[in-house]
Amino acid sequence: MIATNDFRRGSKIEYKGEPYEVIEFQHVKMGRGGAFVRAKMKGLKSGKVIEDTFNSGEKFPKANLQSKQMQYLYLQDGMYYFMDMENYEQIPLTEDQLGGSKSFLKEGMVATILYHKETPLTVELPIFVELAIAETDPGFKGDTASGGAKPAKLETGAMIKVPFHINQGDIIKVDTRTMEYIERVK
């Protein structure tokens, strides 16, 4: 059981029979009344974001989620195919199930698939991925006094900001949570 006092960003709870992930939460203490928690949660099945208020100390069961390491194979007819590396079974996932993960998904990449009652829900990528720069303007000039950044298109099609010294073909490390450049690898 997870109490509202133990809510953290990313906590996964069972609420109204469905798995939810806590996106934001705020503990509120009123002058006369009791404390309560206002939480914004995302439904892992539906993808809908809801906001609700709970009494302080109210408890919820942990979401019954299983995770499997799977390898991304290919995209066909709008479906993303992943392979279970233990039994070589392939499963298709929709674009909605991938969410923002599709921006950094590269063939052969290993990702974690979250399951709820044998149904695949979402894909969690590694925190850092290494991707090649597909396009960027080599002579781009900007505000160099404050560090500055220029737009770059990655091999997966995602657009991010990179420092001026990064060129087409460079391999960079990207944080998948914030979609930000971390460092040049090679």
Side-chain angles (χ1 to χ4, degrees):
M1 298 292 272
I2 298 177
T4 54
N5 302 340
D6 299 328
F7 276 5
R8 300 288 175 259
R9 217 178 220 155
S11 296
K12 293 172 179 64
I13 63 167
E14 193 91 19
Y15 179 61
K16 295 183 180 176
E18 297 291 323
Y20 281 87
E21 179 178 6
V22 176
I23 300 171
E24 294 177 17
F25 64 96
Q26 179 183 15
H27 293 277
V28 180
K29 173 73 172 112
M30 300 302 284
R32 290 180 180 239
F36 62 90
V37 175
R38 187 174 294 127
K40 188 180 278 189
M41 303 179 295
K42 179 181 179 185
L44 294 175
K45 277 188 177 178
S46 64
K48 291 182 182 175
V49 177
I50 64 166
E51 199 166 328
D52 213 338
T53 304
F54 308 104
N55 292 327
S56 184
E58 194 172 337
K59 295 185 179 188
F60 298 93
K62 283 185 178 180
N64 184 18
L65 299 172
Q66 298 83 33
S67 59
K68 281 187 183 179
Q69 294 287 92
M70 300 187 101
Q71 183 180 27
Y72 172 61
L73 299 176
Y74 57 91
L75 167 66
Q76 182 179 349
D77 300 328
M79 299 297 280
Y80 294 80
Y81 287 85
F82 288 83
M83 177 181 69
D84 188 331
M85 296 185 331
E86 292 175 8
N87 61 13
Y88 305 107
E89 177 185 328
Q90 292 184 21
I91 63 158
L93 296 177
T94 64
E95 195 170 315
D96 291 339
Q97 288 172 305
L98 288 174
S101 300
K102 70 177 180 358
S103 301
F104 301 107
L105 204 53
K106 183 175 156 183
E107 288 183 7
M109 181 181 284
V110 175
T112 303
I113 311 280
L114 282 181
Y115 282 83
H116 180 257
K117 299 179 182 173
E118 303 300 319
T119 304
L121 297 177
T122 61
V123 176
E124 291 181 351
L125 294 181
I127 294 173
F128 301 109
V129 294
E130 293 179 3
L131 298 167
I133 301 289
E135 291 178 24
T136 191
D137 188 0
F140 191 87
K141 297 287 184 209
D143 182 10
T144 57
S146 63
K150 62 182 179 179
K153 186 175 185 178
L154 300 175
E155 64 183 297
T156 60
M159 294 293 292
I160 66 165
K161 297 272 187 189
V162 296
F164 294 123
H165 68 276
I166 302 294
N167 297 312
Q168 188 169 331
D170 288 351
I171 307 290
I172 62 168
K173 185 185 278 189
V174 179
D175 187 329
T176 58
R177 300 167 298 180
T178 60
M179 298 179 71
E180 291 178 351
Y181 165 86
I182 300 297
E183 66 183 357
R184 178 166 56 181
V185 178
K186 192 87 170 148

